[in-house]
Amino acid sequence: MLTTAQLQEIAGAIRARTQHRPTIGLILGSGLGSLANEISHADVIPYTDLPHWPPSTVHGHSGQLVIGNLEGQVVLAMQGRIHFYEGYTMQQITMPVRVMALLGISTLIVTNAAGGINRAFEVGDPMLIVDHINFLGMVGMNPLMGPNLDEFGPRFPAMANAYDRDLGELARQVAQANGINLREGVYCALSGPFYETPAELRFLQVIGADAVGMSTAPEVVVARHNGMRSLGISGITNVCDLTGDSPANHEEVIEAGKVLVPRLTKILRGVLAQMPQ
Ligand code: HPA
């Protein structure tokens, strides 16, 4: 469990490395980190330079903060995120969102790679996350467990509107203006690192999940606890096979990321450009 003093130490180390004062945090998911390369006047801080910051161990996640300007906004992007399945605690994987709050960031934008459960979805579709099922949190693996950090938020925060409606509407408008078929749905967060069994996938379908992945919900829970607003977009990297004949694999997830990057980039750039400062 990280103390508030340790979180302050991380925030201080970031402030010492950049003149920028970001107001928007970006967490870029598996294979989707290249948007951070488009940030101008960037200060780049490898995670390994920061105190208490666990390095990302997954192939395809480079593991650095990129802070600078994008579409007229000052952003802090995490190129590569830390996952629960890497063996870190829930507090560790959501630590960056606490640090964002300490840095004055009030909006979190998250992307992830996800498997499509909704039968209408196709590989390469972006999906606006309208709500989530935090499977991990529901069974007690949840970053808000333990003593409440009163300085960040209340003991019993509401998770209704975890995904900000105005930001979602803006994403819809931007997608439409760019001719991008933005799907919508409920994202279900599991721990991974295994891909689901067909029975698990059918179960997720029954309970109302449209997409499944291994991240995002814990970060959004903490953002909500911090009083931040969130926009989440999944990139559908594979269509989940509910029969078991063609199981998902990491290579196809990374490969589909290449199709998704330009679509997600257009949406996120448009959202940033039109978001009030
Ligand atoms: N399941 C879980 N996580 C994922 C998937 C999937 O099919 N695809 C990308 N991330």
Side-chain angles (χ1 to χ4, degrees):
M1 179 110 198
L2 284 154
T3 63
T4 301
Q6 287 172 318
L7 295 167
Q8 295 277 13
E9 202 187 322
I10 304 169
I14 294 169
R15 273 201 204 96
R17 291 274 297 256
T18 182
Q19 300 283 326
H20 294 296
R21 294 295 171 255
T23 58
I24 298 168
L26 294 169
I27 303 180
L28 303 169
S30 306
L32 309 172
S34 60
L35 180 61
N37 301 332
E38 299 176 25
I39 294 172
S40 62
H41 305 103
D43 291 315
V44 176
I45 312 175
Y47 296 157
T48 46
D49 285 4
L50 292 168
H52 316 296
W53 198 297
S56 169
T57 61
V58 187
H59 176 71
H61 299 247
S62 33
Q64 56 189 15
L65 293 181
V66 184
I67 308 167
N69 304 115
L70 193 59
E71 296 291 347
Q73 306 282 357
V74 186
V75 303
L76 174 149
M78 285 178 66
Q79 210 170 17
R81 62 146 68 78
I82 310 150
H83 293 86
F84 188 55
Y85 60 73
E86 293 173 74
Y88 299 118
T89 64
M90 277 286 159
Q91 277 84 10
Q92 281 176 305
I93 65 167
T94 54
M95 165 276 292
V97 184
R98 294 296 194 198
V99 171
M100 285 178 189
L102 293 174
L103 291 171
I105 288 172
S106 54
T107 302
L108 176 67
I109 299 180
V110 199
T111 64
N112 60 45
I117 293 177
N118 186 317
R119 296 298 85 187
F121 292 178
E122 293 170 17
V123 172
D125 280 343
M127 183 195 88
L128 175 69
I129 304 177
V130 293
D131 203 348
H132 72 214
I133 298 172
N134 183 7
F135 224 101
L136 297 158
M138 288 167 71
V139 296
M141 283 179 285
N142 159 2
L144 303 185
M145 299 285 287
N148 185 53
L149 300 180
D150 296 329
E151 55 279 35
F152 287 93
R155 172 78 285 187
F156 300 107
M159 285 300 142
N161 293 326
Y163 298 85
D164 186 81
R165 291 185 189 185
D166 293 340
L167 288 177
E169 182 53 30
L170 186 52
R172 279 186 199 106
Q173 288 168 13
V174 170
Q176 196 175 23
N178 284 281
I180 296 169
N181 186 8
L182 179 63
R183 310 288 193 154
E184 302 198 6
V186 172
Y187 173 85
C188 183
L190 306 183
S191 76
F194 49 74
Y195 292 109
E196 302 71 29
T197 68
E200 286 165 345
L201 290 166
R202 291 192 298 270
F203 166 71
L204 297 180
Q205 185 181 43
V206 167
I207 65 171
D210 295 291
V212 59
M214 307 173 191
S215 66
T216 303
E219 290 106 315
V220 169
V221 163
V222 168
R224 191 77 179 133
H225 185 247
N226 289 339
M228 295 159 67
R229 57 187 191 152
S230 298
L231 170 68
I233 302 182
S234 290
I236 302 300
T237 53
N238 54 294
V239 171
C240 292
D241 178 24
L242 278 53
T243 64
D245 293 334
S246 54
N249 65 74
H250 187 58
E251 287 65 39
E252 72 176 336
V253 168
I254 295 298
E255 197 55 35
K258 293 178 191 158
V259 183
L260 278 153
V261 162
R263 294 175 188 166
L264 293 176
T265 298
K266 273 212 179 88
I267 297 171
L268 295 192
R269 275 185 170 276
V271 167
L272 288 171
Q274 290 181 46
M275 236 171 81
Q277 296 259 349

